[in-house]
Amino acid sequence: MSQEIYFAGGCLWGVQAFIKTLPGVVFTEAGRANGTSPMLDGDYDGYAECVRTRFDPDAVTVGDLMAYFFEIIDPYSVNRQGPDVGEKYRTGVYSEDPRHLDLARAFIEGRPDSGQIVVEVLPLTNYVRSADEHQDRLARFPGDSCHLPRALLGKYTTNTA
């Protein structure tokens, strides 16, 4: 039975393109985590751009997913990833499953640089799917800009979630 976790790592186009190729990932969707509104329209409501990630826990662990995630983020940067600046570009891990959050925290606490890491690990309180134009954006428009190197996006191209 698959499980879900949500990763925020700056502009969601590159994050989704990377995560969808990971072993054990069976589905991805671009969205917004932990804003206050259930809709896409309106003023910024505190959300973080994120990728809803459905995975097979028999094929990949939360710890594995965290290790992959840390390959594409600057875990020391507050509200900025690459050229993308603002609260919606913060880094975070969200889940409705408290075990996922415990495992994410344990991964961070197990790193020698844990005291410098600013990745938030919080319960998912609200999720809104992004508009269709943002779903699998880089697959549909490979020339669009992305803060992640193209070589990194294709590092694990064994999957098509």
Side-chain angles (χ1 to χ4, degrees), residues 49-155:
E49 288 195 4
C50 75
V51 176
R52 176 182 176 193
T53 304
R54 189 173 302 145
F55 66 99
D56 176 354
D58 292 329
V60 65
T61 67
V62 170
D64 294 335
L65 291 171
M66 290 293 293
Y68 290 130
F69 180 55
F70 269 60
E71 289 185 47
I72 62 167
I73 63 167
D74 174 353
Y76 318 116
S77 181
V78 176
N79 298 335
R80 179 184 191 133
Q81 291 294 302
D84 303 315
V85 179
E87 187 179 355
K88 72 179 183 176
Y89 298 117
R90 68 188 180 273
T91 54
V93 179
Y94 314 96
S95 181
E96 294 175 324
D97 186 336
R99 296 170 300 172
H100 292 165
L101 302 176
D102 290 343
L103 292 166
R105 286 185 196 101
F107 174 86
I108 292 170
E109 290 165 8
R111 290 177 52 105
D113 59 350
S114 63
Q116 300 167 291
I117 293 174
V118 295
V119 176
E120 62 183 18
V121 179
L122 296 171
L124 182 73
T125 57
N126 183 29
Y127 173 76
V128 178
R129 181 185 186 277
S130 288
D132 287 342
E133 69 188 75
H134 296 293
Q135 303 300 325
D136 297 308
R137 179 72 183 204
L138 292 181
R140 294 182 300 109
F141 300 98
D144 278 2
S145 66
C146 178
H147 70 287
L148 301 175
R150 297 291 170 168
L152 187 56
L153 293 179
K155 184 175 179 182

Side-chain angles (χ1 to χ4, degrees), residues 32-47 125-129:
R32 297 175 173 184
N34 289 2
T36 58
S37 172
M39 302 180 336
L40 293 174
D41 297 333
D43 294 335
Y44 175 71
D45 67 353
Y47 68 84
T125 57
N126 183 29
Y127 173 76
V128 178
R129 181 185 186 277

